[in-house]
Amino acid sequence: MLLSIINFFQGQFMPHGHCYFWRPDILWTNVIGDGLIALAYFSIPFLLVYFLRKRSDIRFRGIFYLFAMFILSCGITHVLTIVSVWEPIYAFEGIAKVFTASVSSSTFC
């Protein structure tokens, strides 16, 4: 079991920048785009929580907190996408995406 977990995180992958042929125009367009999306995603949960703390009359508060966690995890996936341009951390990206999907699924259950 432990060996399979270690193998999951190891690999001889190349960074995603190779797919861009390390062209600065393509690479930085994607990095800046993902960075701006991540910043937007990181601001939304804080605004939701701030809103919930100011208003005590809102019902179903849990769904707001789940939505905030979903949006935050979406931002994390974009940050990991930026990192994977230079470092092949595809296993971590996959875990973050599965976590994001599970939080997303829990918002409609």
Side-chain angles (χ1 to χ4, degrees), residues 14-17 79-90 93:
M14 59 184 166
H16 202 79
V79 169
L80 293 176
T81 299
I82 291 171
V83 173
S84 72
V85 168
W86 293 279
E87 294 293 328
I89 56 166
Y90 303 120
E93 272 189 281

Side-chain angles (χ1 to χ4, degrees), residues 6-98:
I6 291 171
N7 286 338
F8 179 74
F9 288 100
Q10 291 180 340
Q12 300 299 321
F13 302 110
M14 59 184 166
H16 202 79
H18 283 291
C19 297
Y20 301 142
F21 296 115
W22 298 108
R23 280 185 44 190
D25 55 338
I26 302 297
L27 186 144
W28 286 108
T29 300
N30 282 280
V31 167
I32 291 169
D34 278 317
L36 292 172
I37 291 168
L39 285 174
Y41 278 161
F42 290 147
S43 67
I44 294 168
F46 293 107
L47 292 173
L48 279 172
V49 171
Y50 175 79
F51 176 74
L52 287 173
R53 289 180 186 228
K54 293 291 182 182
R55 301 278 310 259
S56 61
D57 61 329
I58 296 177
R59 297 179 59 203
F60 307 111
R61 299 171 77 77
I63 196 74
F64 284 92
Y65 288 112
L66 279 172
F67 185 67
M69 189 172 8
F70 164 66
I71 293 296
L72 186 66
S73 62
C74 285
I76 291 169
T77 62
H78 283 277
V79 169
L80 293 176
T81 299
I82 291 171
V83 173
S84 72
V85 168
W86 293 279
E87 294 293 328
I89 56 166
Y90 303 120
F92 290 109
E93 272 189 281
I95 290 170
K97 290 176 183 178
V98 168

